[in-house]
Amino acid sequence: SQKIEQNSEALNIQEGKTATLTCNYTNYSPAYLQWYRQDPGRGPVFLLLIRENEKEKRKERLKVTFDTTLKQSLFHITASQPADSATYLCALVWVGNQFYFGTGTSLTVIP
Amino acid sequence: DGGITQSPKYLFRKEGQNVTLSCEQNLNHDAMYWYRQDPGQGLRLIYYSQIVNDFQKGDIAEGYSVSREKKESFPLTVTSAQKNPTAFYLCASRGTGSNIQYFGAGTRLSVL
């Protein structure tokens, strides 16, 4: 079965620095890879989507890369702010809209 | 919460009791999903429905049941057969042709 691994430990960074979160998967590559943000006690909120044939996607301070050879996606938040503190989930989507979510990485941005 | 309403926010279940979690959406989405989230684990799919009057089991359907009588509503019943129901339950919907899921605020279920 498909296995998805995100940073196993919580990530703490200083305000203003770039946060980099990883999402690794096994087996075959998905058609899409997505990143969601989840705040405590709330549902996830969609942030970015990257397709199998795309290498990089940007949205404001967010950047996602997708390397199907390494079977890895990197999620970057530049100029991080305390308001970016949350748990970030990656989700793999295959044809037929099969969604599989990772366990998430908890990010804390320290002022 | 993107037009998806889950209720109640907190729910307590007694031994041997069935409880129903509500999920309503006004996004006119065809597909709806139920996930369970436990600490340190990713979202695990319980059931999903692509269209009214049709639904499929996800990876952990045992001890749960659903119905999809209306496009807007996808209630989840946690039956007494589910021996470890304590978790955070999330409902989501997706529009036809879209690959984005929109989530509700969740229901936290605990056992008394």
Side-chain angles (χ1 to χ4, degrees):
Chain A
S1 62
Q2 185 68 241
K3 188 176 179 183
I4 304 168
E5 290 185 346
Q6 297 191 240
N7 300 57
S8 58
E9 299 191 4
L11 187 61
N12 298 323
I13 65 165
Q14 209 68 36
E15 183 176 4
K17 300 293 186 182
T18 296
T20 298
L21 285 65
T22 62
C23 177
N24 297 295
Y25 59 93
T26 59
N27 300 340
Y28 47 93
S29 290
Y32 304 87
L33 193 147
Q34 303 177 340
W35 285 87
Y36 289 76
R37 169 183 172 141
Q38 186 175 23
D39 291 286
R42 308 287 292 178
V45 175
F46 171 79
L47 296 174
L48 277 173
L49 176 153
I50 187 165
R51 293 179 171 78
E52 185 181 15
N53 60 354
E54 296 176 322
K55 296 295 184 186
E56 183 179 297
K57 222 37 175 318
R58 291 175 184 261
K59 179 182 177 182
E60 298 173 350
R61 294 185 296 111
L62 308 179
K63 184 177 85 170
V64 174
T65 62
F66 191 9
D67 189 326
T68 55
T69 301
L70 293 178
K71 297 188 178 182
Q72 181 182 77
S73 174
L74 298 179
F75 178 75
H76 306 273
I77 305 175
T78 59
S80 60
Q81 305 165 1
D84 295 326
S85 299
T87 295
Y88 292 86
L89 305 170
C90 69
L92 278 58
V93 187
W94 280 268
V95 172
N97 289 299
Q98 295 282 324
F99 282 76
Y100 286 91
F101 286 85
T103 56
T105 297
S106 175
L107 172 67
T108 300
V109 180
I110 303 164
Chain B
D1 295 314
I4 298 180
T5 302
Q6 289 188 243
S7 62
K9 191 169 179 62
Y10 299 96
L11 186 59
F12 298 91
R13 193 190 89 168
K14 295 179 181 178
E15 291 288 338
Q17 186 183 42
N18 293 353
V19 292
T20 297
L21 285 61
S22 171
C23 179
E24 303 278 332
Q25 54 101 356
N26 61 5
L27 301 169
N28 199 33
H29 287 172
D30 286 313
M32 296 187 74
Y33 305 78
W34 273 106
Y35 294 92
R36 169 178 172 144
Q37 188 174 35
D38 294 279
Q41 298 199 38
L43 277 64
R44 291 186 290 168
L45 183 64
I46 305 173
Y47 269 98
Y48 65 100
S49 169
Q50 305 271 39
I51 198 168
V52 174
N53 292 323
D54 188 48
F55 49 83
Q56 285 78 40
K57 292 181 179 180
D59 299 321
I60 57 165
E62 187 174 349
Y64 300 96
S65 66
V66 293
S67 63
R68 187 83 187 278
E69 297 176 2
K70 297 187 299 182
K71 188 175 186 178
E72 304 79 24
S73 179
F74 191 40
L76 173 74
T77 296
V78 183
T79 74
S80 57
Q82 173 49 248
K83 298 306 179 188
N84 183 24
T86 297
F88 189 50
Y89 290 86
L90 288 161
C91 178
S93 71
R94 179 181 59 81
T96 302
S98 169
N99 292 293
I100 300 170
Q101 292 199 7
Y102 295 86
F103 286 84
T107 292
R108 190 165 297 280
L109 176 63
S110 303
V111 177
L112 289 176

